[in-house]
Amino acid sequence: NIEVIKSLANKKDFKLRFVGKGGAAESLEQYVKEEKINNVSFSGYYKKENEPDIIRRATFLNIFYPKVKTHSSALSNRFYNALIMKKPMLVTSNSVQGDFVEKYQLGLSLDNCDNLDCKIKSFLKEFDRNAFEERCNILLEKFLQDYELFENSVLNFVEEK
């Protein structure tokens, strides 16, 4: 999050909203205050039923995580939410999420946040909403097929025992 904030700090075309109350929220707020960054806002805890409205107002969902093994092999809830709500995402390259974003062109898969403003503007300049939503649906369908295959395999295994 610090990398994203640093890259977009005080850029007039960008507004970053951090919604929720994660473990790093206080240190991020402190950083923004100390660095006098004026285009970042924070809102704390929110009710789960408000999540669709929060996502709807976003242009991108930030899922850019540190490059650590536990983060690189997982698909986050935010990733699924981005697909369901048809929102482009910022993710870490060389991760499961990064591989899906690259393959299905679902946002930006980043090694770092250098020139992030230019990367976002370039993505949005070429953005085709209908094609993007179709790619989201294709991946969601693939996940559903994988889930059904897994469920059937488990049920078959249980029946055989």
Side-chain angles (χ1 to χ4, degrees):
N1 289 329
I2 290 285
E3 279 189 63
V4 172
I5 292 171
K6 280 181 183 179
S7 185
L8 299 175
N10 295 324
K11 305 266 176 158
K12 66 179 176 126
D13 296 334
F14 294 89
K15 174 80 172 148
L16 293 129
R17 291 184 315 131
F18 288 87
V19 182
K21 200 66 177 169
E26 283 184 37
S27 60
L28 289 174
E29 287 185 63
Q30 186 63 34
Y31 175 80
V32 165
K33 188 180 287 184
E34 288 172 3
E35 297 298 316
K36 297 178 176 53
I37 300 170
N38 58 26
N39 64 335
V40 178
S41 66
F42 297 90
S43 57
Y45 172 82
Y46 63 90
K47 293 180 180 177
K48 193 70 172 166
E49 65 258 20
N50 295 336
E51 194 168 53
D53 288 331
I54 293 166
I55 294 171
R56 224 175 261 112
R57 290 193 310 254
T59 304
F60 274 85
L61 291 191
N62 177 26
I63 320 173
F64 183 71
Y65 292 145
K67 290 190 177 192
V68 294
K69 196 175 264 189
T70 54
H71 289 64
S72 65
S73 59
L75 285 174
S76 66
N77 287 342
R78 201 173 309 155
F79 182 88
Y80 290 108
N81 286 338
L83 290 175
I84 292 165
M85 301 292 294
K86 312 296 189 272
K87 293 294 179 176
M89 49 194 121
L90 304 175
V91 298
T92 310
S93 63
N94 299 312
S95 67
V96 173
Q97 294 179 147
D99 293 345
F100 279 122
V101 164
E102 288 174 20
K103 181 176 180 179
Y104 291 90
Q105 301 171 357
L106 300 173
L108 296 171
S109 180
L110 306 167
D111 287 317
N112 57 56
C113 292
D114 295 349
N115 302 310
L116 183 55
D117 57 332
C118 295
K119 292 173 187 174
I120 290 172
K121 286 179 181 180
S122 178
F123 178 88
L124 292 174
K125 185 178 178 185
E126 305 292 322
F127 189 66
D128 177 335
R129 165 80 38 209
N130 292 328
F132 175 81
E133 289 182 3
E134 181 61 26
R135 292 190 301 271
C136 288
N137 289 336
I138 289 168
L139 184 54
L140 285 168
E141 182 63 34
K142 180 186 178 340
F143 287 154
L144 182 61
Q145 290 169 357
D146 288 349
Y147 174 80
E148 289 170 351
L149 177 66
F150 175 74
E151 181 181 43
N152 289 334
S153 296
V154 170
L155 291 173
N156 288 337
F157 175 79
V158 171
E159 287 175 5
E160 291 175 8
K161 296 294 176 186

